[in-house]
Amino acid sequence: MGERSGPAEPAGRVFQVTRREFMRASAAGVVAAPALLGALTACREVTASNGPASGLAPGARANGAGVLHEVRRVARPADVDLGPLGTKRIWVYDDRFPGPEIRVREGDRLRVQLRNELAEETTIHWHGVPVPNAMDGVPGVTQAAVEPGTSFTYEFTAGPAGTYLYHSHQGLQLDRGLLGTLVVEELSPPAIDREYTLVLDDLLPGEPPDPLGAIDERTGGSPGSATGSGARSMMRGMGRMGGMGNGMDVPRYEAFLVNGRPPDDPAVLQVRKGERVRLRLANPSGATTFQVAVAAHRMTVTHTDGRPVRPVEVDAVLIGMGERYDVVVEADAPGSWAVVAVPLQGGAPARAVLSYDGAREGTPPIEQVPEGLRGGRVLALDDLEALEPLLPDAAPDRRFDLVLSGGMMSPYWTIDGQAYPEADPLEIRAGERVRVRMRNASMGLHPMHLHGHFFQVGRTWKDTVMVPPHMGEVTFDFVADNPGPWFFHCHNAYHMEAGMARIVRYV
Ligand code: C2O
Ligand code: CU
Ligand code: CU
């Protein structure tokens, strides 16, 4: 990452962008007409005949009246209108970018038929939802990849309530645009007048670069194996730089987007004075950490990765790949305000516009900098306190002590020196309390994500947590209550693709 990229300390360290940096980074451009926010998906609803099935996560309540939602998603290349960026042919669901949001209520049954109209294999993963293993969508681990021209049907009970993602789990397809949000609504509606989902993303100029770039073959062996001649290391080093195009651990992106709109043709979030507005912030990007703030408004964080937390008021939120934060904004400052998401690796910030009914201002100037990006309180991991019960104070039954590395002399990103798929599974037993400690020996930021379970980190529940660079350390505990082989990996698509992953296997 670049000089002003990674927070050197735990995720909550204040990350400030000076006004000058911000203005330099912001693309000056014509402010175009408001864009429409993505509409909700149309579900064909039929009453479930089989009642609420098993697979309800802890915290979810079976309401006995689960509705069956039948949804279809077609994965294929499509020409997507990106406003001032022109029309781009990317890989998407249902010809839309981001894919149409799927919205159900807690305890509902969700049945999604995925139709693969790509020229290669694909899957859908339900990021964050503790689905039964066979529905998790990891090719080669939980299912055979879905072949071109064929379909696969996913079915599971939606819960617990929260903000989730769905995305391809095949190779780097996520970074091509095969992504969307899954919202599982609460059974008892919260005190919210209106809500918007904000999908933060990074847009590639073309094909995703191969992180293992110039290595002639993957037969070069994993970094643990006996290779390491000077020439080979050198070549790998060059391979990385060649592959990523800039010698950093992120590809060169063309733009950063909110809900598929570029900063100079932003999505408009219409609000009325006095409303409590929920923003569901989701980061399914390939390789970008964002710092998000709203001009003239503070944000009250109410959920992280779908899990409810004691409300905490902040000026900005740092959100890593795979993370979600629900925040509430009190609409008490009429006008037209920028919602800005600054990519930590640099580049023109993504933005949307919070626009009050009757506001005269129109779209705010692109150089409008929310106060939360110039100082103020940035949400820290320590600020998060679960509203759901935490694990009892007790020693774990099993521990893993993992070192995350990579990024210097090798294109591989590793966990304990091993690059998946040439890596040992982490073996656990059903019923165990498992503790995972991760130490980051690299200069990259690693949003580590566990499938199939929520974990307790600090005093909160999450499913994805950032491990800061330069010996940053994070420990989480989870209960082995959902059998199967589960993927555990860095959610930077390029780190995952270059080895930073393991299987958690129940034995
Ligand atoms: Cu967002 Cu392995 O997943
Ligand atoms: Cu996941
Ligand atoms: Cu990583």
Side-chain angles (χ1 to χ4, degrees):
M1 294 198 155
E3 315 126 85
R4 64 181 190 85
S5 59
E9 285 156 34
R13 209 201 75 163
V14 175
F15 172 79
Q16 294 184 16
V17 184
T18 66
R19 189 174 174 81
R20 224 166 104 230
E21 278 175 311
F22 184 91
M23 291 184 62
R24 195 180 41 205
S26 299
V30 185
V31 173
L36 287 176
L37 197 69
L40 302 182
T41 183
C43 288
R44 186 163 74 84
E45 299 192 358
V46 291
T47 307
S49 50
N50 51 351
S54 62
L56 266 190
R61 288 171 304 276
N63 63 356
V67 165
L68 174 65
H69 297 254
E70 295 195 281
V71 179
R72 199 175 130 98
R73 283 292 174 276
V74 180
R76 66 176 167 221
D79 295 318
V80 172
D81 170 22
L82 295 167
L85 296 173
T87 294
K88 242 188 151 67
R89 194 162 188 81
I90 57 176
W91 297 8
V92 290
Y93 295 116
D94 288 22
D95 300 346
R96 299 246 309 267
F97 177 64
E101 183 166 273
I102 297 175
R103 209 169 245 270
V104 297
R105 291 181 79 209
E106 184 173 72
D108 285 355
R109 198 78 182 149
L110 184 56
R111 183 182 291 163
V112 184
Q113 189 197 59
L114 164 64
R115 168 96 197 140
N116 183 4
E117 293 184 7
L118 301 166
E120 60 179 64
E121 299 175 333
T122 194
T123 60
I124 294 183
H125 168 59
W126 310 96
H127 177 116
V129 185
V131 297
N133 189 257
M135 297 292 112
D136 198 47
V138 182
V141 177
T142 68
Q143 70 170 102
V146 185
E147 299 289 336
T150 70
S151 297
F152 182 89
T153 300
Y154 296 91
E155 184 170 339
F156 55 91
T157 299
T163 305
Y164 301 96
L165 303 170
Y166 68 92
H167 63 78
S168 163
H169 218 294
Q170 176 73 47
L172 297 165
Q173 289 178 1
L174 165 74
D175 211 19
R176 290 176 176 271
L178 286 164
L179 56 91
T181 44
L182 164 61
V183 170
V184 181
E185 295 175 345
E186 296 97 339
L187 288 178
S188 32
I192 294 296
D193 300 301
R194 202 190 282 259
E195 70 167 56
Y196 292 99
T197 302
L198 299 187
V199 177
L200 313 176
D201 202 7
D202 41 19
L203 178 74
L204 288 168
E207 308 255 303
D210 178 357
L212 299 176
I215 302 184
D216 36 0
E217 311 243 37
R218 269 173 104 151
T219 55
S222 69
S225 66
T227 50
S229 76
R232 169 153 252 148
S233 313
M234 175 78 85
M235 200 174 83
R236 285 179 175 173
M238 289 168 65
R240 277 199 75 242
M241 295 168 78
M244 301 305 270
N246 57 6
M248 302 199 308
D249 69 339
V250 286
R252 221 186 273 293
Y253 284 108
E254 178 171 348
F256 300 95
L257 313 174
V258 178
N259 293 348
R261 307 308 305 176
D264 46 0
D265 183 14
V268 174
L269 321 176
Q270 206 64 44
V271 300
R272 207 167 293 153
K273 183 169 190 285
E275 285 179 336
R276 278 168 58 81
V277 182
R278 165 148 73 180
L279 305 180
R280 297 180 185 264
L281 308 174
N283 180 357
S285 74
T288 302
T289 308
F290 290 97
Q291 180 160 342
V292 183
V294 184
H297 297 76
R298 300 194 87 199
M299 296 177 286
T300 302
V301 178
T302 60
H303 297 73
T304 178
D305 298 348
R307 311 312 333 123
V309 293
R310 186 181 301 282
V312 51
E313 198 171 286
V314 298
D315 298 293
V317 172
L318 205 55
I319 180 169
M321 296 136 255
E323 286 190 299
R324 292 89 64 211
Y325 284 99
D326 292 8
V327 303
V328 170
V329 168
E330 303 279 351
D332 55 6
S336 187
W337 305 103
V339 179
V340 177
V342 177
L344 291 205
Q345 73 262 35
R351 70 173 196 155
V353 171
L354 186 72
S355 178
Y356 284 68
D357 284 357
R360 298 213 190 108
E361 291 85 347
T363 307
I366 197 124
E367 59 276 359
Q368 186 183 86
V369 185
E371 298 74 3
L373 298 174
R374 288 188 262 130
R377 178 174 180 188
V378 181
L379 181 75
L381 193 53
D382 282 352
D383 293 331
L384 298 170
E385 211 182 305
L387 291 182
E388 294 162 326
L390 291 174
L391 295 171
D393 249 323
D397 302 304
R398 194 178 291 273
R399 297 167 191 263
F400 295 99
D401 212 331
L402 307 173
V403 176
L404 313 178
S405 24
M408 292 307 286
M409 296 307 288
S410 155
Y412 291 102
W413 289 89
T414 60
I415 297 178
D416 273 2
Q418 299 181 348
Y420 186 86
E422 292 171 60
D424 302 322
L426 307 178
E427 296 189 332
I428 64 174
R429 279 181 210 283
E432 285 180 339
R433 173 173 176 164
V434 182
R435 178 163 298 169
V436 179
R437 176 184 184 221
M438 300 164 293
R439 278 176 298 159
N440 185 352
S442 77
M443 281 158 32
L445 182 60
H446 305 296
M448 299 302 293
H449 170 54
L450 175 63
H451 288 214
H453 309 74
F454 291 101
F455 51 71
Q456 180 184 328
V457 54
R459 288 170 304 152
T460 193
W461 292 99
K462 282 177 75 58
D463 56 55
T464 307
V465 66
M466 285 193 275
V467 186
H470 307 296
M471 294 320 284
E473 185 179 322
V474 172
T475 298
F476 65 70
D477 280 24
F478 70 98
V479 174
D481 60 0
N482 194 6
W486 298 101
F487 221 41
F488 167 59
H489 63 95
C490 176
H491 219 276
N492 177 312
Y494 298 88
H495 294 183
M496 178 182 82
E497 192 62 6
M500 194 170 267
R502 289 294 181 98
I503 305 286
V504 173
R505 190 185 299 288
Y506 283 61
V507 294

